[in-house]
Amino acid sequence: MVKETARTLLYVCIAVVSVGIAFATHFASRPKPLKEFEKVGTPFFSDDFDPNSAKSLKVVSFNEDAAKINTFMVEAVNGKWVIPSHFNYPADAQDRLSKTTASVIGVTRDALASRLASDHHLYNVLDPSKEDTSELEKHGSRITITRADGTVLTDLIIGKEVEGRSNHYYVRVPDEKETYISKLDIDLSVKFSDWIEQDLLKIDRGDLRDILINKYSIDEVQGRIVGQEINHLAKATPSDDWKLDDLKEETEELNKSDITTLVGNLDDLKIVGVRPKPQGLNPDLSLDPQIKQNPILRQALLGGLASAGFFLAKDQDGNPVLVSNEGELTAGTKDGVVYNIRFGQIFTGDIEEVETGLSKDPKKEKEETKKEAEGKENKEDKKEGDKTKDNKTEKTPEKPEEDKADKKDDKRKKNRYLFVSVTFDPKLLGPAPVKPVEPKKPAEEKKKEPVKKEETKKKEEPKKDDKADKDKKDKPEKEVKKEDKKKTADKK
C-alpha cells in the first residue's frame, strides 16, 4: 500500500513538472510583440489641441499637370493671413485652416501596412520635400501644421487611397519607416482660388450706375494713344434702362442684350492668379519720379509691362500714364466706388503658371501667343481639303477637325492680365443732401418777476381812507353824523 501511494505521488510530481516545462517552453518560444504593432490604434499626434491655435499650414505635393513638386503655404504674418508662395497675397484662411486642422486631429494608426522603407513607393508615401526627383508620382502630400511659436501640431505624409476602402489612406510620419492605414476625412486644398476672396470686384450688378468703355490702340513707337472711341452708359436707379450718350433715338436703338452680357461679365470676374505690381508704379498706377530719372530702371519697367500688354503713354498734360493694348473700362456704383479695369495680354498656362507665372517666361508667352494668332490667320486663308489632279480640282471628304492645341494642352487655361484700380466719386451718390431749415422756436411768455416781501406787506396794509371808512362802519351812526357836521363847520 505504501509502495502504491509513493508511486502515485511520483507520477503526480512528474505530471506537474511536465506541465510546467510545457508552459515554459510555450511562452519562451512565443515571438516578442513588435513595437510597430504596439502603435496600432494610437493617434499620430496629440488630439487635445485647439484647431484655432494653428497659425501656419504647409503642403508639399506632386503636381501632375506640371510633373513636379509644388509647395503651398498659408501663414499669419503681423495679424494678417497671407500666401507666401503667391507673393504674400491676402488669404481668407481662418475658416479653411481650422477645418483642415480639425480633419487631421486624432487621426489614428488603424493598421500596419509595412515596416520597410523600401515599400514607401508602393503606397505613394515618399517624402515630397526631399530632393529625390525619381518616381515623382510616388511621392505623397506632406502636410505640416504649426503654431505661432513653431510647435508642430501635425506632420504627416498622406499617400494613395487604399483600394476598396473609402476614405482610407496610406499614411506615415516623415521620420518613421512604418506605413500605416488610416481613415481620413480631410478637407485639404492647395488651389490658390480656394484660399482667397475670388470675386474680383465684389459688386452687385444692380448697384452699377455708370459704365465708361474706352477703346483705343497704342502706338508703341510714339508712346501715345491712337484711334480712341469712348462710349458712356448711365442710369439713375436699378429699375431704369441704361442710356447711351449721343444715341440718336429716332434712328438708333441700344442693344440691351449686349449690355446685359457686359454687366454680367463684370459681376462674374474672378481672380485666378496674381503678379506683384512692378517696382516703379505707385499705388495709383502713376510713375514713380525716381524711375523717370533712371533710364535703366525705366526700360526694365517698360519691358515687364509690355510683356503683359501694358504701356506708358503721355496724357494731355504730357505726364506718363499706364495704358493697355485692349483698352479700358470704368464702372461706378451707387456707393460712389469706381473701378478702372485695364485689359492686357492673354496668358496661357497650367494652373501654377496662371496663379504665379513663376514657371513661365513672359517673353516666350508673348511669342507663343503671337504665333498662335498667326497660325489661326493662315488657317483661315488656306482652303483645306482641295487637291489638284490633271488640272482638275477634287474635293476630298472633310474629316472632323481636331484642335491639336487643345489636345496637347488640354489642361492649359486662357486668361487675361488685368490692372484694377479703385477710386471714389461722390457724384455717383446722387444730389448732395440739403441741410434742413431749423424751425422757428415759439415765442416764450415773459416770466413774472417774484413779488418782494416788502411790497406784499404794503399791499396787505390798508389805506388811510379805507381805514377811516372802516372806522365809520364800526362807530354808531349818531357819532358819525356829529363828526361830519364838525368837519364841515371847521372848513367854513
Side-chain angles (χ1 to χ4, degrees):
M1 187 72 180
V2 175
K3 291 181 179 181
E4 292 179 359
T5 302
R7 189 181 299 129
T8 301
L9 292 174
L10 180 61
Y11 288 151
V12 171
C13 290
I14 293 172
V16 171
V17 172
S18 298
V19 171
I21 294 173
F23 271 102
T25 303
H26 172 71
F27 285 104
S29 61
R30 288 180 63 185
K32 294 182 179 180
L34 297 174
K35 292 182 179 180
E36 295 82 1
F37 283 100
E38 291 178 354
K39 296 180 180 179
V40 173
T42 63
F44 284 99
F45 291 91
S46 175
D47 59 352
D48 59 353
F49 64 84
D50 180 8
N52 294 317
S53 66
K55 296 299 179 184
S56 174
L57 167 71
K58 182 180 180 181
V59 180
V60 184
S61 61
F62 171 66
N63 186 330
E64 294 182 2
D65 297 337
K68 67 177 185 178
I69 301 298
N70 286 345
T71 300
F72 183 87
M73 189 172 182
V74 182
E75 64 179 350
V77 178
N78 297 328
K80 295 181 180 180
W81 288 98
V82 298
I83 305 176
S85 58
H86 291 66
F87 314 107
N88 284 337
Y89 189 83
D92 185 16
Q94 182 61 55
D95 292 340
R96 179 169 287 276
L97 185 61
S98 297
K99 291 178 181 178
T100 303
T101 307
S103 64
V104 295
I105 290 178
V107 174
T108 60
R109 303 172 173 88
D110 295 340
L112 178 65
S114 173
R115 297 183 293 110
L116 304 176
S118 58
D119 291 341
H120 290 172
H121 71 287
L122 299 176
Y123 308 110
N124 293 10
V125 290
L126 292 174
D127 190 348
S129 62
K130 299 291 180 63
E131 296 183 358
D132 182 15
T133 57
S134 62
E135 296 184 303
L136 288 175
E137 69 279 2
K138 300 297 182 180
H139 288 73
S141 296
R142 182 169 178 176
I143 304 171
T144 307
I145 301 175
T146 59
R147 287 195 179 102
D149 60 0
T151 304
V152 176
L153 299 177
T154 300
D155 191 6
L156 294 174
I157 299 175
I158 301 176
K160 64 182 180 180
E161 191 173 9
V162 180
E163 187 176 355
R165 301 183 67 180
S166 179
N167 294 333
H168 285 76
Y169 297 85
Y170 294 105
V171 182
R172 77 177 182 93
V173 176
D175 295 334
E176 296 180 1
K177 297 179 180 179
E178 298 77 30
T179 302
Y180 295 90
I181 297 175
S182 300
K183 184 177 181 181
L184 280 171
D185 185 14
I186 191 167
D187 180 18
L188 178 66
S189 175
V190 293
K191 289 183 178 180
F192 171 68
S193 58
D194 289 341
W195 290 89
I196 64 168
E197 173 53 66
Q198 200 176 2
D199 191 347
L200 178 60
L201 303 182
K202 295 188 69 175
I203 60 174
D204 189 329
R205 63 187 66 189
D207 293 340
L208 287 173
R209 295 289 183 272
D210 191 273
I211 298 176
L212 183 70
I213 304 170
N214 189 359
K215 297 175 64 177
Y216 54 76
S217 299
I218 306 297
D219 186 340
E220 298 182 28
V221 178
Q222 298 280 340
R224 60 189 182 90
I225 298 174
V226 295
Q228 191 171 25
E229 178 186 346
I230 298 177
N231 291 298
H232 180 233
L233 295 163
K235 66 176 183 177
T237 66
S239 59
D240 291 342
D241 292 330
W242 286 98
K243 300 294 183 181
L244 177 65
D245 289 358
D246 302 326
L247 179 68
K248 299 177 182 179
E249 298 183 356
E250 297 81 7
T251 58
E252 297 176 337
E253 184 179 358
L254 194 61
N255 192 329
K256 296 181 179 180
S257 177
D258 287 349
I259 297 177
T260 301
T261 302
L262 171 63
V263 173
N265 289 338
L266 287 174
D267 187 18
D268 295 335
L269 278 176
K270 303 295 182 185
I271 301 174
V272 294
V274 292
R275 305 288 187 273
K277 183 171 61 65
Q279 293 184 356
L281 286 181
N282 296 321
D284 62 352
L285 302 183
S286 62
L287 190 63
D288 191 324
Q290 295 181 356
I291 299 297
K292 297 179 182 179
Q293 301 172 3
N294 192 321
I296 298 176
L297 295 178
R298 180 184 174 88
Q299 190 60 37
L301 172 63
L302 293 177
L305 290 173
S307 65
F310 302 100
F311 307 90
L312 288 176
K314 295 181 180 179
D315 60 10
Q316 296 178 351
D317 300 327
N319 298 318
V321 294
L322 185 68
V323 294
S324 54
N325 60 359
E326 295 296 333
E328 304 177 22
L329 184 145
T330 303
T333 68
K334 65 179 182 62
D335 300 319
V337 181
V338 180
Y339 300 92
N340 182 266
I341 307 170
R342 296 173 174 86
F343 298 91
Q345 187 74 25
I346 291 177
F347 184 91
T348 304
D350 59 27
I351 294 177
E352 183 187 9
E353 291 169 346
V354 169
E355 289 182 357
T356 63
L358 295 178
S359 58
K360 190 70 175 179
D361 187 348
K363 293 183 179 180
K364 291 182 178 179
E365 171 63 22
K366 187 175 182 180
E367 291 176 0
E368 291 178 6
T369 304
K370 186 177 180 180
K371 289 180 180 179
E372 184 179 351
E374 292 175 353
K376 288 182 179 179
E377 291 177 359
N378 295 333
K379 193 174 183 181
E380 291 175 357
D381 296 337
K382 184 179 179 181
K383 294 182 179 180
E384 298 181 357
D386 290 346
K387 291 184 178 180
T388 303
K389 184 178 181 181
D390 299 333
N391 296 326
K392 294 181 180 180
T393 302
E394 294 182 357
K395 191 79 172 180
T396 58
E398 293 185 1
K399 296 180 181 180
E401 184 180 357
E402 293 182 359
D403 192 340
K404 294 181 180 180
D406 291 343
K407 187 175 181 180
K408 182 180 178 181
D409 300 325
D410 55 347
K411 294 180 180 179
R412 296 167 67 82
K413 306 289 185 181
K414 282 188 177 182
N415 298 278
R416 187 181 294 278
Y417 288 107
L418 297 180
F419 252 123
V420 181
S421 56
V422 184
T423 56
F424 176 73
D425 186 359
K427 295 179 182 178
L428 293 172
L429 299 176
V434 180
K435 185 178 180 180
V437 179
E438 186 177 356
K440 293 182 179 180
K441 297 180 179 180
E444 296 182 357
E445 296 182 359
K446 293 183 179 180
K447 295 181 180 180
K448 295 181 179 180
E449 296 181 1
V451 181
K452 295 181 179 180
K453 292 183 179 181
E454 296 178 357
E455 294 180 356
T456 305
K457 289 181 179 180
K458 290 180 180 179
K459 288 181 180 180
E460 291 177 353
E461 290 180 359
K463 295 180 180 180
K464 292 181 178 181
D465 296 341
D466 294 340
K467 189 176 181 181
D469 293 339
K470 186 178 180 182
D471 293 339
K472 286 181 180 180
K473 291 180 180 179
D474 294 338
K475 289 181 180 182
E477 187 177 351
K478 290 182 178 180
E479 293 181 0
V480 171
K481 287 181 178 181
K482 288 181 179 180
E483 289 179 358
D484 292 340
K485 287 181 179 181
K486 185 177 180 182
K487 288 179 181 181
T488 304
D490 292 338
K491 288 180 180 181
K492 290 180 180 182

